[in-house]
Amino acid sequence: PAFDPEPGDSGESKAKAAMRRNLTLVQNHVHRSYAPLSRYMRRASAFFGLTGGMNSYTTPVGGVGFGYHFDPSDAFILQVTGSKSWELC
């Protein structure tokens, strides 16, 4: 299900409702709206000589998140809390 905020709505109430339903929140391109992440992304892009983007995935405690899958692009992953089994291929 999609929980897109209405114009002028921060989406906070819909995000909280989604979390109560154990859904994963996906925030694409978070570096575009938060200056510290934007600076980090510019530095990482310059260091690696590659363009990139930054997404955020938040799964509530007890939530499943995404099932087994692969991403069609290279990724650096930073897991802040919790535990998960990762496989690299």
Side-chain angles (χ1 to χ4, degrees), residues 16-59:
K16 287 180 179 179
M19 293 289 282
R20 284 192 297 274
R21 293 177 59 197
N22 277 343
L23 298 175
T24 294
L25 300 180
V26 178
Q27 299 166 286
N28 292 318
H29 311 293
V30 293
H31 61 288
R32 294 181 182 172
S33 59
Y34 186 59
L37 293 179
S38 180
R39 286 191 295 273
Y40 179 84
M41 195 70 246
R42 282 194 307 274
R43 289 180 186 139
S45 292
F47 179 81
F48 291 106
L50 301 167
T51 58
M54 189 178 292
N55 299 333
S56 171
Y57 303 88
T58 306
T59 302

